[in-house]
Amino acid sequence: MGRKLLLDKAHIENIRYYDVYRANGGYESAEKALKMTPELVLDEVKKSGLRGRGGAGFPTGMKWSFIAKPEGVPRYLVCNADESEPGTFKDRYLMEFLPHLLIEGLLISSYTLGANSCYIYIRGEYAWIPDILEEAIADAKKNGWLGKNIQGTGFDLEIYVQRGAGAYICGEETALIESLEGKRGNPRIKPPFPAIKGLWDCPTVVNNVETLAAIVPILRIGGEEYAKYGTGKSTGTKLISACGNINKPGVYEIEMNISVEEFIYSEEYCGGIANGKRLKACIPGGSSVPIVPANLLLKTAKGETRMMTYESLSDGGFATGTMMGSGGFIVLDEDQCIVKNTLTFARFYHHESCGQCSPCREGTGWMERVLKNIEKGKGKMSDIDLLWDIQRKIEGNTICPLGDAAAWPVAAAIRHFRDEFEWHVLNPEESQVRNFGLAHYADPLEIAAPAAV
Amino acid sequence: MAEEKKLFKVKIDGIPVEVEPGTTILNAARQIGGDIVPPAMCYYSKLQGSGGKCRTCLVKVSKGSEADPRPMPKLVASCRTTVMDGMEVANITSPEVLDARKGVVEFLLLNHPLDCPVCDQAGECSLQDLGYEHGADGTRYEFKRRTFEKIDIGDKIQLHMTRCILCYRCVYTADQLTEKREHGILGRGEVSEISTYIHKSLDNEFIGNVIDVCPVGALTDKTFRFKNRVWFLKPVDAHRDCDKCCGKTVLWLRGDEVFRVTARKDKYGEVEAFICDTCRFDKKETKDWIVEGPRKIDRHSVISQGQYVGVVKPHDALPDVLEGRQPKLLMNIHSISQVNRPEIDLSKIEGPAHSDDFKN
Amino acid sequence: MFSEAKLNKVKEIIARYPQGKQKSALLPVLHLAQEEFGGWLSAETMDYVASLLQITPIEVYEVATFYSMFNMKPVGKYVFEVCHTGPCMLRGSDNIVDYIKKKLDINVGETTKDGLFTLKTVECLGACGYAPMMQLGKHFREHLTPERVDEIINECRVNAN
Ligand SMILES: Cc1cc2nc3c(=O)[nH]c(=O)nc-3n(C[C@H](O)[C@H](O)[C@H](O)COP(=O)(O)O)c2cc1C
Ligand code: SF4
Ligand code: SF4
Ligand code: FES
Ligand code: FES
């Protein structure tokens, strides 16, 4: 059994309630932190090597140290619970089953940052979770962990839950801030960064739910000890939400030292591919990260075992690697159509583009339409190159990374599965009644894999 | 204090310039002037918060600053990126920039109706200019373009949303120049649109300025009589005593008739000063005005051809105006326009082309 | 108009933000309004919300039309929002959509004649591991099969009476 830091107590009955959580060592990290100076807590977080779990993987300690501290201006901590990247459903698990773990993390983090108000921005569709969180917040307050003069330290904190209303883009931190201000979720043009000018133009830190929850074990065992979990710069544990064609979809906590193969095939985690099928491809970090065929998933282009770490997953760059992203692990079996899957992602990003900047606003819809033609057997060979060109002209040219997120899945699908796209074009009728199948996508690679495009 | 401000040394396409700290790359380029100025479709120096959206002004920062010479990893929007001391920027000398810009232009034109033959803005449209300069020959878009009904927002302004490029300029204008904004951006993504939601007229003493800031023909002046092609009109600078605005305008004349009144625009298409709606909409007699003299138009746009003597067919003059380059859009307009009436020969139309000429 | 209790709720929401930042309450208050006034936001409802928060109506329209959970038109009493993004598609969401279409004799985006059911397809709802799934009101219905769908439809019919 892999070591756990976040879900170690998830099996305890009623752990979602204050008394049970407290009786099982809950709020002890907060007790410890409140006796330290904020600087010392920050040191522990820096030592832990914790990297943001929201997708970008930016070191949390460093991010916190950037927050501006002008005299007399309030600072804010915002918890990003917008969780909308297809394949990702881990934050939901934490909030539903371990709300106090999150609240404790928010308390320690707010104390460290000197924030007296903290907002949890949760996606609107998780409509029942605010009730769970608000109940937990009320209980924590009743027990002196929130409100005024917390545990006699003189530190005040209020936590509020704000519901979004259906917009993936509000997961982008500046769009989230706009939305929290009661506006359209249009990402801001940076700089200025939120650490200088965020919520209501005050210094603000936005962190993912899992990142903030991970602060609790860091304080419990110490930053140095936390850094001993995992591999290299991928310290600690990571929640992976596994879905698609596997036997046991669900949320797993892994120590970042296991191989992708073990994660997919072991009974402890995904339990192998469903219905005895073979593995065709995988998108290991949420819909926006590059899809890779089976042969590049389990081994890197250099022939090394691919591990569930930030570094190993991205080994080979976009040519042969992918990314850890948000940990939304999507598995495709041999019966799945890459074109169709790519189409649903393109449709998703088209649907979610805020429409502020022209490459994303116009390009995402265009990609969806071209992909739809190919998928329906109405595509032309030149459409594949057209798609490549459209994604290329979106990537890197937009205000926020949603443009990239829309471009990457299309690029990677064409890069690795061009045969399958061509087959759709050349066999318009057949492609409507059967799938391309596994083809050569699981064949062992002999040499360093080429980038097809 | 008369302390001398330190100026930042910047190079754009190899041309050095010294600017004040806080200047954007775009404005530094404008200080140099000429071909190296990036095109700007959404930025408007007089509107706070504008810019960053259209992405036509993308440039490459090949050297970040003297202190940190690393290049920036991505192209940046020059209108919203401030210069650093020692920064080096590539605009037209960077193939990467030109390629990206071509992409942006294609995106901007993707859903554009290309109905230039019937558009009031033709001849003074930033998108048209941009298309000539950077566009591809045809469109690779094979799908139905999105269309909207044109609507009157009040009796003075017409909104032709299909042409809008969502630059947000009119929204900022209403926010910053009027007491209460009544129109805005509705919807999301590709289907977002400028609208009032429930039909409302825009009524405010300065709202007419949205017509001048609109870079395309999405917001037009309904009082512009006879919908004349601008290049048949003679622009003159004029002024009057106005208690609401500076009263300095351009009158667009044919003979002695005032066809419309606009603010004075500089070579980047920005107004020199905003004008009030009384000057714009209600003063349509030459006797209302003191004419200063002909307006010099130094934009290299198609509008300038109106100043050529003896022009009969608008498109004949285009290659001249474009310094010998062939215009790409107008020539093919029939094949790609939604106003697809190839049987209509523009040159056969008596006088200026009128939208009625294209009605089915 | 909101009831006294709802108005107090609005006040409580506004109190979460610093003075003068009451516009931040817009999303929560629109949610309340949609629940309260028939499951959608009419122009009158939005104007009312604008007056409550002392902002201009266009600010409300801009926001309401941006977010997909706000209905700008009336919908059926029960809205089946079936997810059809990649992970759900991989687990057969298309079949579920087809099944509901046949069973209720409506297309995606339509409402049954009795005004009871509306079928929508939506993008990923964060339940990819429990696919196929749909949102029904406040809750998710996961691991859908034709049998589960039948049960849900029956349940709604019973509750409606
Ligand atoms: C389009 C887009 C969507 C995003 N969605 C989320 C999200 O749902 N949840 C999240 O935590 N971060 C999301 N992010 C990342 C956030 O912008 C931000 O980096 C993150 O909340 C920082 O937290 P971390 O440092 O703890 O990872 C998204 C980013 C982009 C560009
Ligand atoms: S990239 Fe897309 S989502 Fe991001 S600001 Fe531009 S249009 Fe909006
Ligand atoms: S109507 Fe004109 S000014 Fe307004 S957003 Fe559209 S293009 Fe810009
Ligand atoms: S002018 Fe700079 S992005 Fe539009
Ligand atoms: S893809 Fe359906 S819930 Fe995520």
Side-chain angles (χ1 to χ4, degrees):
Chain A
M1 283 280 281
R3 295 189 287 176
K4 292 189 180 19
L5 292 169
L6 292 169
L7 306 185
D8 51 341
K9 300 191 188 105
H11 61 280
I12 299 173
E13 208 178 333
N14 289 332
I15 190 77
R16 77 154 73 154
Y17 299 110
Y18 176 80
D19 293 337
V20 180
Y21 181 75
R22 179 73 173 135
N24 285 281
Y27 290 98
E28 280 172 15
S29 296
E31 251 169 346
K32 203 161 157 185
L34 290 172
K35 288 190 188 118
M36 297 159 64
T37 63
E39 291 71 34
L40 280 176
V41 183
L42 177 61
D43 269 350
E44 290 303 318
V45 176
K46 280 186 179 161
K47 270 190 252 165
S48 74
L50 175 66
R51 293 165 68 173
R53 304 298 196 221
F58 193 81
T60 306
M62 202 189 308
K63 182 165 177 168
W64 287 8
S65 63
F66 292 152
I67 192 167
K69 298 186 172 167
E71 204 57 41
V73 180
R75 300 191 275 279
Y76 295 102
L77 173 65
V78 176
C79 172
N80 189 342
D82 194 56
E83 188 158 69
S84 310
E85 169 105 344
T88 316
F89 48 99
K90 64 186 176 70
D91 298 338
R92 167 186 168 188
Y93 187 94
L94 280 176
M95 292 185 286
E96 266 190 292
F97 298 107
L98 293 157
H100 283 285
L101 182 70
L102 176 61
I103 292 168
E104 187 177 358
L106 294 177
L107 167 58
I108 302 170
S109 308
S110 302
Y111 173 74
T112 313
L113 293 162
N116 301 110
S117 303
C118 168
Y119 296 88
I120 303 175
Y121 183 95
I122 183 167
R123 70 175 299 177
E125 293 89 344
Y126 287 169
W128 67 99
I129 300 182
D131 297 343
I132 299 176
L133 291 171
E134 274 167 359
E135 186 189 333
I137 289 169
D139 285 343
K141 199 164 177 174
K142 233 184 287 164
N143 288 283
W145 296 104
L146 293 174
K148 295 247 173 269
N149 190 17
I150 295 168
Q151 305 291 316
T153 56
F155 177 65
D156 307 336
L157 177 65
E158 293 293 341
I159 299 178
Y160 306 103
V161 184
Q162 177 104 343
R163 251 179 93 195
Y168 163 71
I169 189 57
C170 291
E172 195 280 336
E173 54 186 7
T174 56
L176 188 158
I177 290 172
E178 287 281 298
S179 181
L180 201 43
E181 291 183 3
K183 302 183 191 153
R184 297 162 59 85
N186 283 352
R188 294 178 180 173
I189 294 154
K190 295 185 259 190
F193 289 92
I196 314 292
K197 254 184 167 196
L199 186 57
W200 303 304
D201 281 348
C202 299
T204 305
V205 163
V206 181
N207 273 128
N208 173 257
V209 169
E210 186 190 345
T211 312
L212 293 164
I215 301 299
V216 177
I218 289 173
L219 264 283
R220 183 170 67 232
I221 62 176
E224 231 158 84
E225 193 55 33
Y226 185 90
K228 287 183 195 155
Y229 283 65
T231 316
K233 283 189 183 159
S234 296
T235 62
T237 61
K238 171 91 188 84
L239 296 184
I240 305 286
S241 57
C243 60
N245 310 114
I246 46 177
N247 276 318
K248 299 196 304 168
V251 178
Y252 298 102
E253 179 172 14
I254 59 158
E255 183 174 347
M256 285 191 271
N257 64 1
I258 64 168
S259 69
V260 175
E261 190 165 1
E262 180 184 348
F263 183 69
I264 296 180
Y265 289 100
S266 76
E267 274 312 306
E268 188 178 349
Y269 303 112
C270 305
I273 309 300
N275 307 315
K277 304 270 183 193
R278 290 169 298 172
L279 170 71
K280 178 174 182 179
C282 175
I283 301 138
S287 59
S288 62
V289 314
I291 185 170
V292 283
N295 49 15
L296 278 174
L297 176 70
L298 302 180
K299 286 217 172 4
T300 69
K302 295 178 221 145
E304 289 162 2
T305 303
R306 180 111 43 203
M307 306 294 289
M308 295 288 284
T309 65
Y310 288 95
E311 291 74 23
S312 184
L313 283 172
S314 57
D315 187 287
F318 277 10
T320 61
T322 173
M323 274 159 74
M324 172 71 93
S326 58
F329 197 89
I330 310 167
V331 178
L332 284 76
D333 72 25
E334 57 187 301
D335 290 344
Q336 303 304 332
C337 173
I338 301 294
V339 178
K340 177 90 189 272
N341 191 65
T342 312
L343 167 62
T344 73
F345 288 172
R347 186 186 61 215
F348 174 82
Y349 291 107
H350 172 204
H351 185 254
E352 300 301 335
S353 165
C354 84
Q356 248 193 126
C357 60
S358 45
C360 171
R361 177 180 69 238
E362 308 292 345
T364 49
W366 193 3
M367 290 199 298
E368 183 199 334
R369 291 183 186 103
V370 175
L371 273 162
K372 197 168 197 168
N373 271 353
I374 299 177
E375 203 264 332
K376 290 260 174 280
K378 291 183 200 144
K380 301 188 288 291
M381 246 0 175
S382 61
D383 284 342
I384 304 172
D385 296 318
L386 177 61
L387 269 179
W388 183 265
D389 199 50
I390 302 171
Q391 69 80 21
R392 189 176 69 82
K393 286 186 167 137
I394 299 174
E395 195 213 334
N397 293 337
T398 54
I399 294 177
C400 87
L402 188 137
D404 302 344
W408 292 341
V410 174
I414 297 177
R415 183 183 292 119
H416 299 300
F417 299 90
R418 197 178 174 108
D419 294 359
E420 189 162 343
F421 283 82
E422 291 182 356
W423 179 80
H424 267 258
V425 172
L426 295 174
N427 302 280
E429 274 137 43
E430 203 184 345
S431 70
Q432 300 310 295
V433 290
R434 82 170 180 92
N435 281 326
F436 190 55
L438 183 61
H440 53 88
Y441 297 125
D443 295 353
L445 294 167
E446 285 173 23
I447 33 158
V453 186
Chain B
M1 273 201 313
E3 195 181 317
E4 202 159 299
K5 274 213 199 101
K6 185 180 169 345
L7 294 181
F8 282 176
K9 289 192 176 64
V10 184
K11 261 191 197 162
I12 300 172
D13 284 335
I15 305 170
V17 65
E18 293 193 15
V19 297
E20 289 198 5
T23 308
T24 59
I25 297 174
L26 179 68
N27 283 330
R30 284 183 177 181
Q31 288 186 24
I32 298 173
D35 285 346
I36 60 103
V37 182
M41 296 294 287
C42 67
Y43 171 76
Y44 209 79
S45 64
K46 287 160 197 78
L47 296 172
Q48 235 195 341
S50 67
K53 299 189 195 300
C54 71
R55 317 305 284 174
T56 55
C57 72
L58 290 175
V59 294
K60 182 164 185 60
V61 175
S62 45
K63 178 180 169 191
S65 68
E66 212 53 70
D68 181 359
R70 284 176 302 171
M72 292 192 185
K74 288 185 190 176
L75 303 184
V76 299
S78 59
C79 65
R80 291 292 297 255
T81 310
T82 47
V83 297
M84 303 295 275
D85 197 22
M87 184 183 270
E88 288 177 17
V89 176
N91 176 23
I92 57 173
T93 52
S94 161
E96 190 187 343
V97 169
L98 296 181
D99 185 49
R101 191 166 295 150
K102 198 165 151 188
V104 171
V105 173
E106 186 173 24
F107 288 131
L108 284 173
L109 289 172
L110 210 56
N111 273 297
H112 193 79
L114 294 168
D115 57 350
C116 314
V118 296
C119 176
D120 283 346
Q121 194 92 354
E124 47 176 3
C125 170
S126 307
L127 188 59
Q128 211 178 22
D129 294 350
L130 195 69
Y132 289 132
E133 296 271 323
H134 303 279
D137 288 320
T139 180
R140 298 186 288 174
Y141 193 63
E142 298 178 333
F143 305 91
K144 205 171 162 334
R145 295 198 180 85
R146 67 172 172 253
T147 50
F148 297 85
E149 292 290 311
K150 59 179 166 206
I151 53 167
D152 291 337
I153 36 184
D155 54 350
K156 309 263 170 57
I157 303 172
Q158 189 170 65
L159 169 65
H160 204 316
M161 179 57 214
T162 312
R163 296 175 184 149
C164 169
I165 59 156
L166 291 165
C167 71
Y168 285 61
R169 281 181 184 174
C170 59
V171 180
Y172 292 117
T173 304
D175 258 342
Q176 293 168 31
L177 256 57
T178 71
E179 316 250 277
K180 185 176 168 201
R181 178 159 65 86
E182 307 262 23
H183 83 291
I185 311 254
L186 301 182
R188 179 167 88 193
E190 203 185 48
V191 291
S192 37
E193 58 175 309
I194 293 285
S195 174
T196 53
Y197 194 65
I198 36 180
H199 279 237
K200 262 196 194 156
S201 58
L202 298 185
D203 254 335
N204 201 291
E205 280 177 0
F206 285 90
I207 194 68
N209 286 295
V210 296
I211 297 167
D212 282 341
V213 301
C214 184
V216 293
L219 290 166
T220 48
D221 184 344
K222 274 196 70 189
T223 67
F224 183 6
R225 286 187 279 172
F226 309 120
K227 305 260 167 188
N228 224 312
R229 313 301 291 174
V230 285
W231 53 70
F232 290 98
L233 298 177
K234 193 169 147 234
V236 296
D237 281 347
H239 66 265
R240 60 180 279 271
D241 247 342
C242 178
D243 52 3
K244 295 185 194 121
C245 71
C246 63
K248 291 185 183 152
T249 63
V250 177
L251 307 183
W252 298 77
L253 304 173
R254 188 156 165 197
D256 264 349
E257 257 183 297
V258 178
F259 276 70
R260 69 167 179 176
V261 182
T262 65
R264 297 180 185 176
K265 292 191 187 181
D266 65 16
K267 63 177 156 209
Y268 300 114
E270 288 193 19
V271 303
E272 287 167 8
F274 292 111
I275 61 170
C276 71
D277 284 12
T278 311
C279 286
R280 182 187 306 275
F281 297 127
D282 301 336
K283 303 290 167 190
K284 291 282 175 76
E285 307 279 339
T286 25
K287 67 172 170 24
D288 295 328
W289 298 93
I290 299 154
V291 174
E292 296 166 18
R295 175 94 189 140
K296 194 173 157 287
I297 305 232
D298 50 4
R299 256 164 102 224
H300 52 209
S301 97
V302 278
I303 197 180
S304 319
Q305 76 194 352
Q307 314 309 308
Y308 287 70
V309 192
V311 174
V312 186
K313 287 190 283 180
H315 44 284
D316 273 354
L318 284 174
D320 296 346
V321 182
L322 295 169
E323 290 150 7
R325 279 165 300 156
Q326 284 298 317
K328 289 166 188 157
L329 290 177
L330 262 187
M331 298 306 277
N332 292 330
I333 201 81
H334 284 311
S335 62
I336 47 179
S337 169
Q338 297 246 308
V339 192
N340 193 7
R341 304 290 305 273
E343 70 280 13
I344 296 173
D345 184 343
L346 287 174
S347 61
K348 298 253 168 70
I349 297 169
E350 281 281 327
H354 187 283
S355 53
D356 286 344
D357 294 324
F358 292 86
K359 292 247 171 72
N360 290 313
Chain C
M1 294 275 278
F2 279 138
S3 64
E4 190 67 28
K6 287 278 165 339
L7 280 177
N8 282 334
K9 180 80 192 163
V10 172
K11 270 194 207 133
E12 181 202 314
I13 294 171
I14 292 175
R16 297 172 186 172
Y17 318 103
Q19 277 268 294
K21 304 293 181 199
Q22 78 284 354
K23 185 177 175 181
S24 290
L26 185 49
L27 264 64
V29 175
L30 282 175
H31 275 304
L32 271 186
Q34 178 159 299
E35 265 166 42
E36 200 68 8
F37 305 117
W40 70 292
L41 297 171
S42 65
E44 296 78 61
T45 304
M46 291 190 280
D47 290 350
Y48 174 59
V49 169
S51 69
L52 282 178
L53 298 180
Q54 296 159 328
I55 55 182
T56 60
I58 188 72
E59 291 178 275
V60 181
Y61 309 150
E62 282 186 319
V63 167
T65 56
F66 185 89
Y67 296 93
S68 61
M69 289 179 76
F70 296 130
N71 297 316
M72 307 312 286
K73 287 195 202 101
V75 288
K77 192 167 162 72
Y78 298 103
V79 188
F80 288 177
E81 298 180 288
V82 185
C83 169
H84 67 157
T85 313
C88 279
M89 182 276 292
L90 296 174
R91 310 268 318 189
S93 59
D94 289 358
N95 299 338
I96 297 296
V97 173
D98 286 343
Y99 184 78
I100 299 175
K101 276 203 236 172
K102 246 190 247 136
K103 179 97 190 176
L104 296 177
D105 194 24
I106 48 172
N107 266 316
V108 175
E110 292 178 354
T111 301
T112 50
K113 286 202 188 70
D114 55 9
L116 215 49
F117 298 101
T118 301
L119 173 63
K120 280 193 192 173
T121 50
V122 297
E123 302 297 342
C124 179
L125 293 174
C128 327
Y130 323 112
M133 62 80 63
M134 68 169 164
Q135 177 146 34
L136 177 56
K138 202 171 171 181
H139 292 278
F140 286 0
R141 302 302 175 98
E142 297 168 338
H143 301 294
L144 294 180
T145 56
E147 295 75 41
R148 279 288 293 140
V149 170
D150 287 345
E151 281 168 36
I152 294 168
I153 292 175
N154 280 337
E155 177 195 319
C156 292
R157 290 222 162 99
V158 170
N159 288 343
N161 289 320

